Amino acid sequence: MNIPCWPQADEREAELLRMVLESPQWGGFHPFIDEFERSFAAYQHSSHGISAFNGTVTLELALDVLGIGPTDEVIVPAISFVSTAAVVSRVGATPVFVDIEPRSFNVDPARVREALTPRTKAVIAVHFGGAMCEIEELNQICREHGLALLEDAAHAQGAEWSGRRAGSFGIAGSFSFQNGKVLSSGEGGMLVTSDEGFAERARSIANCGRQAGRSFYEHYRVGTNFRITAFQAAVLLAQFERLPEQIARRTANVKLLKGLLDEVRQITWQEQPAAVTQNPFYLLLGRLGGSISRDGFCRILSDGGVPCTPFYPHTLYENPAYREAACRVMPCPVAKDCIRDAFWLPHRVLLADEDTIRQIAEVIRNAARGAQRSGVPEVAAAEPIR
Ligand SMILES: Cc1ncc(COP(=O)(O)O)c(C=O)c1O
């Protein structure tokens, strides 16, 4: 099966990396960093970009800037990568886990409303797999209750709602450029924001408490060092040139694949609100119904050469960490169902050529036929997306 590998690089990455190597600045003050911050923030329809060494510290930085800490609660979805919740705990606040919607895998705004208390200070909204969540409704809830809305847009480079890009709705949006992401430098992250004061504080904290235009050895805040290297910026600039074309290819392939699988009723693909005008398709998510064994289905796909992950093994609050760490858990029946019946294909599958997409459809069709509960052992075929 001719499925592209990920990450991908060509002469362009090598050219920009060589420029860094031959320069006297390999660290966080090379002009490539400023160039990438400006270009990526503008692409996400935001005025400022503050890069950092991954998409976990960018979330932590945002909570720090917002002054969130002990006694505060932050609402997070029960389904996400662990960082969405762990950063809340790391700043001493309490994550409040709420359920997701059954079709979109994204946080359910009605469940967010139910979870509000006088201690609630913020909501972290994840655009899961690249499909934007109900961002306008969440914005409305946050406005009504004086809460900060932080977008965890780790999956959502290029994601768009009515022509407006992810990260530009909340006070800030946090992106990850980790190895498996659609824009990657192995590790990396960025906060985007259009709030001048937020940007100034975030940039200062991430750069040892310095202030723009002031002396290098004057530190105005107790900051830290989250700067990326010029090597990361060089790779990101090159990757960024390909992103629009890759999004277009994945979008076309999702249409083709779903069309070819139209008659396979046992699969319900992730739905997105009608207002979504672009999805980068970091993940192609689905749920299996009827008598299909999800783990058997994933095993048949993997054996057939189609990488497939049988979703997360548990909700965020069922991680061992949250047996100890303080949290509040709202009822999450949908999240628990998804743990049993959902799966995803990574975005590299969607970069394949048309013939390969047709072969993939055949493997999926056969898997849906073959994975009846009685026939296939329930063994997970997990392929982590890292
Ligand atoms: C939803 C979500 N948030 C945050 C992160 C953390 O990003 P990073 O791995 O760059 O720290 C990830 C990483 O996969 C993620 O999927």
Side-chain angles (χ1 to χ4, degrees):
M1 188 86 61
N2 190 18
I3 293 180
C5 61
W6 193 266
Q8 301 175 354
D10 65 19
E11 227 355 83
R12 184 64 175 145
E13 275 83 355
E15 179 192 353
L16 296 180
L17 281 168
R18 253 192 318 271
M19 286 170 72
V20 174
L21 276 172
E22 288 165 6
S23 83
Q25 177 54 264
W26 291 3
F29 301 99
H30 190 283
F32 278 177
I33 292 164
D34 189 46
E35 186 183 338
F36 180 64
E37 286 179 342
R38 284 176 197 279
S39 320
F40 185 71
Y43 180 73
Q44 296 300 147
H45 298 168
S46 297
S47 312
H48 308 275
I50 299 101
S51 54
F53 47 68
N54 60 56
T56 300
V57 293
T58 46
L59 288 170
E60 219 169 305
L61 176 60
L63 295 179
D64 187 357
V65 172
L66 292 169
I68 288 171
T71 76
D72 297 334
E73 288 186 346
V74 177
I75 296 177
V76 299
I79 295 294
S80 183
F81 183 65
V82 68
S83 299
T84 310
V87 294
V88 177
S89 308
R90 299 281 303 173
V91 299
T94 304
V96 178
F97 295 100
V98 302
D99 211 359
I100 56 170
E101 298 166 330
R103 294 292 177 87
S104 73
F105 297 92
N106 273 322
V107 70
D108 186 334
R111 305 285 89 82
V112 170
R113 278 190 193 278
E114 287 168 4
L116 297 170
T117 72
R119 289 175 59 195
T120 312
K121 288 291 175 322
V123 175
I124 303 183
V126 179
H127 304 301
F128 198 69
M132 286 194 69
C133 63
E134 290 283 355
I135 195 70
E136 277 182 351
E137 206 175 332
L138 292 169
N139 227 342
Q140 180 60 27
I141 294 171
C142 289
R143 265 198 304 269
E144 279 169 25
H145 296 272
L147 311 176
L149 175 63
L150 176 59
E151 292 174 70
D152 182 347
H155 302 180
Q157 293 86 348
E160 199 176 275
W161 175 284
S162 294
R164 189 170 152 193
R165 299 252 162 95
S168 70
F169 289 82
I171 179 75
S174 168
F175 291 84
S176 165
F177 308 128
Q178 166 270 338
N179 203 59
K181 298 297 184 287
V182 297
L183 191 57
S184 176
S185 49
E187 303 285 354
M190 196 184 299
L191 267 187
V192 301
T193 182
S194 294
D195 184 298
E196 201 74 41
F198 183 100
E200 193 273 319
R201 289 196 300 279
R203 193 175 293 287
S204 176
I205 292 170
N207 185 20
C208 303
R210 295 189 177 98
Q211 243 169 256
R214 302 288 180 90
S215 149
F216 194 77
Y217 292 114
E218 290 291 340
H219 307 276
Y220 296 86
R221 290 184 177 82
V222 180
T224 182
N225 179 357
F226 285 161
R227 295 189 307 271
I228 61 170
T229 70
F231 300 110
Q232 285 161 291
V235 172
L236 286 165
L237 280 168
Q239 301 269 310
F240 190 40
E241 289 171 7
R242 293 187 206 105
L243 182 65
E245 190 274 327
Q246 289 172 337
I247 291 178
R249 180 134 41 107
R250 285 193 291 269
T251 304
N253 277 338
V254 167
K255 194 164 172 231
L256 174 63
L257 188 64
K258 285 185 182 173
L260 291 166
L261 294 170
D262 207 26
E263 82 287 3
V264 181
R265 299 275 163 229
Q266 299 97 324
I267 302 177
T268 307
W269 299 106
Q270 180 184 31
E271 282 181 9
Q272 55 191 23
V276 171
T277 40
Q278 182 159 272
N279 181 340
F281 289 108
Y282 170 59
L283 303 174
L284 181 61
L285 286 139
R287 296 184 67 181
L288 292 165
S291 55
I292 294 201
S293 149
R294 188 274 314 272
D295 293 347
F297 174 87
C298 290
R299 166 180 281 224
I300 295 174
L301 257 65
S302 297
D303 289 351
V306 180
C308 175
T309 299
F311 212 63
Y312 291 121
H314 35 57
T315 61
L316 282 183
Y317 59 83
E318 288 167 315
N319 273 293
Y322 282 104
R323 285 183 211 138
E324 300 289 323
C327 66
R328 193 155 66 79
V329 182
M330 299 296 287
C332 296
V334 178
K336 295 200 75 116
D337 282 350
C338 290
I339 296 301
R340 283 192 295 272
D341 65 19
F343 67 95
W344 68 65
L345 311 186
H347 60 94
R348 68 190 177 94
V349 170
L350 303 170
L351 290 176
D353 57 45
E354 187 178 329
D355 282 351
T356 308
I357 294 290
R358 290 182 188 280
Q359 289 169 35
I360 292 166
E362 198 49 35
V363 174
I364 294 176
R365 200 177 295 114
N366 289 338
R369 238 183 263 124
Q372 300 305 317
R373 271 192 207 288
S374 53
V376 181
E378 305 262 336
V379 180
E383 188 202 83
I385 37 176
R386 301 204 75 80

